[in-house]
Amino acid sequence: MRKKRVAILISGRGSNMAALVKAARAPDFPAEIVLVLSNRPEAAGLDFARSESIPTALVPSKAYGKDRAAFDAAMQAELERSGAEIVCLAGFMRLLTPEFCEGWAGRMINIHPALLPSFKGLDTHARALEEGVKLHGCTTHFVTPGMDEGPIILQAAVPVLDDDTEASLGARVLAEEHRIYPETLRLLASGRLAIEGRRVKITG
Ligand code: GRF
């Protein structure tokens, strides 16, 4: 089996990136992490990637201002240089142009800290507490031009407890993120995901 080459895009802490890197250490994991790319120089996840001897790249979004097309072109150049075949967004806090998303259609995935289609966007744990939902969780999905809108791959639910704070609920969800994101990448890299309209079926 030839391992699929994967680039991970981060903006911050990078704990999901670390979960993917750790999973990819297993000899039978169908993907290898060939690049960790950040749009922020201060992203803590870069240090972890360097400590694992994974190539890193920085495309500082600040330097591009509102010129999203130029920013995406710079990212595309880094991705091509790395030979990436799959892109994983892992806490990447920058919207991508439709052209960029379409170029990676079916090969770019994201993790979102809520049970989509509920709570798209930011501050999902605070909003879940505010709404009083009893179940919250996380979702992996293919990336399409609309934010947090692409076909859903895996979801994991956690209970919302009466004494939960944003932090305690977030931690419970994060533990599930670290479980379903590597599993999602494993399925994608082994060619076991079939997109049918908005539904993703697991084959094989
Ligand atoms: C995670 O909650 C992820 O679901 C969301 O942003 C957060 C990033 O955390 N997209 P980390 O950088 O992976 O630790």
Side-chain angles (χ1 to χ4, degrees):
M1 169 202 69
R2 189 184 69 78
K3 289 180 185 257
K4 283 274 160 61
R5 296 174 68 81
V6 174
I8 307 176
L9 272 48
I10 64 167
S11 298
R13 178 177 59 179
S15 71
N16 277 290
M17 176 270 294
L20 295 174
V21 167
K22 286 175 192 161
R25 283 182 195 149
D28 63 346
F29 197 79
E32 59 176 323
I33 313 304
V34 297
L35 177 68
V36 171
L37 189 161
S38 174
N39 68 318
R40 291 188 185 149
E42 68 278 15
L46 284 172
D47 293 331
F48 174 82
R50 289 186 195 114
S51 75
E52 292 281 316
S53 308
I54 294 170
T56 60
L58 180 66
V59 180
S61 42
K62 262 195 187 154
Y64 292 87
K66 290 207 168 87
D67 194 348
R68 288 188 188 282
F71 172 74
D72 285 5
M75 289 219 306
Q76 182 67 29
E78 290 292 351
L79 293 173
E80 280 172 17
R81 220 191 317 278
S82 73
E85 302 163 281
I86 291 174
V87 172
C88 296
L89 307 185
F92 187 70
M93 302 301 286
R94 174 102 182 175
L95 286 180
L96 300 161
T97 59
E99 294 72 27
F100 185 88
C101 294
E102 273 145 24
W104 285 95
R107 300 182 297 145
M108 181 156 66
I109 54 179
N110 182 40
I111 180 129
H112 182 73
L115 291 172
L116 290 173
S118 291
F119 307 120
K120 295 175 181 172
L122 297 174
D123 300 323
T124 54
H125 309 314
R127 287 159 58 210
L129 288 172
E130 229 169 78
E131 291 294 342
V133 296
K134 300 295 184 190
L135 284 175
H136 186 43
C138 52
T139 303
T140 57
H141 63 93
F142 284 103
V143 177
T144 55
M147 189 183 61
D148 303 328
E149 270 180 13
I152 290 171
I153 305 170
L154 294 180
Q155 293 188 302
V158 302
V160 180
L161 307 180
D162 289 346
D163 58 356
D164 261 335
T165 61
E166 201 180 331
S168 64
L169 180 57
R172 194 173 307 120
V173 171
L174 192 63
E176 292 300 307
E177 295 186 35
H178 295 165
R179 190 175 63 76
I180 70 167
Y181 210 6
E183 176 61 9
T184 301
L185 177 58
R186 193 177 68 76
L187 291 168
L188 177 61
S190 45
R192 294 185 53 202
L193 297 179
I195 308 177
E196 293 175 18
R198 291 204 45 79
R199 299 182 72 185
V200 178
K201 297 194 177 159
I202 299 174
T203 62

